[in-house]
Amino acid sequence: MKTGKAILASASIMAAVAASPALAGGLADPVVEPALQPVAAAPVARANGNWGGFYAGGQLGYGTGDADGDDFDGGLLGAHVGYNFDLGGYVLGVELDGDLGKLELDSGFGEIDQVIRLKGRAGVDLGQTMLYGTAGVARARVDTGGGSLRDNGYFGGVGVDYAVTDSVIVGGELLYHQFDDFDGTGVDADATSLRAKVSFRF
């Protein structure tokens, strides 16, 4: 009888010893995973366009204005040539353009049939698109039927260019012109033109 009790006691001790590592593991401190920190995305640099170099092309538009109460309006057709200096995020340029038209005065006195402009341009490079301001001097001619009048004035405006390809650019331009005492007649004139442009870069 004593032998059976001894065997039972030995088995109980062995079971307790075998279970002790599991109990010890169960009492161990839980492992805490470190919290993941968000990683800030690197800013994506905006790609600048390639706006430098010579270009030339044509334009088509519409003009309207007033010469001391004598209104005029009509279509415009012309050409331009220029050069841009690409400064990275900014573009500076010079341009010479000319328009032929038939902007008839309501009084029947004549029509503005030619405008030539020498322009400075300053733009912001947005990649394929460039927004710019422009200003400069203009020379207009009025055909009176029996002769002509010519005078110099100034203008300013805004425009946008879009690079369809590396060599083809389309755009639009809105200009306001002012001529004071046109050709000594004492008449002040102002004109606004809106034109669509196509340019080829080379």
Side-chain angles (χ1 to χ4, degrees):
M1 191 71 176
K2 291 182 179 180
T3 302
K5 290 181 178 180
I7 292 172
L8 182 59
S10 298
S12 298
I13 293 170
M14 291 177 63
V17 171
S20 62
L23 293 174
L27 297 176
D29 292 335
V31 177
V32 179
E33 294 290 337
L36 295 177
Q37 297 297 323
V39 178
V44 179
R46 176 179 56 80
N48 291 329
N50 175 22
W51 293 99
F54 286 99
Y55 62 91
Q59 65 262 2
L60 179 66
Y62 177 80
T64 183
D66 172 85
D68 281 357
D70 196 358
D71 295 336
F72 55 87
D73 66 323
L76 299 166
L77 176 65
H80 59 268
V81 61
Y83 186 88
N84 283 328
F85 300 88
D86 194 330
L87 305 179
Y90 301 95
V91 180
L92 297 178
V94 292
E95 183 177 295
L96 177 66
D97 78 21
D99 286 327
L100 299 177
K102 290 179 66 68
L103 283 69
E104 298 181 355
L105 292 127
D106 286 350
S107 64
F109 175 76
E111 63 184 25
I112 300 172
D113 65 354
Q114 184 184 95
V115 182
I116 299 172
R117 306 172 192 86
L118 178 60
K119 309 157 102 175
R121 305 201 313 167
V124 179
D125 182 350
L126 302 177
Q128 279 186 280
T129 303
M130 179 176 66
L131 302 177
Y132 65 89
T134 182
V137 294
R139 184 170 180 82
R141 184 178 72 186
V142 175
D143 181 2
T144 63
S148 62
L149 302 172
R150 295 177 175 82
D151 201 14
N152 298 324
Y154 54 91
F155 70 90
V158 294
V160 57
D161 280 346
Y162 179 79
V164 179
T165 69
D166 286 342
S167 57
V168 179
I169 300 168
V170 297
E173 196 171 66
L174 177 67
L175 302 177
Y176 173 79
H177 308 71
Q178 181 69 45
F179 298 89
D180 298 325
D181 187 18
F182 198 94
D183 202 7
T185 60
V187 175
D188 296 334
D190 62 79
T192 301
S193 64
L194 179 62
R195 304 177 305 159
K197 302 174 65 178
V198 178
S199 305
F200 301 92
R201 187 166 49 205
F202 51 91

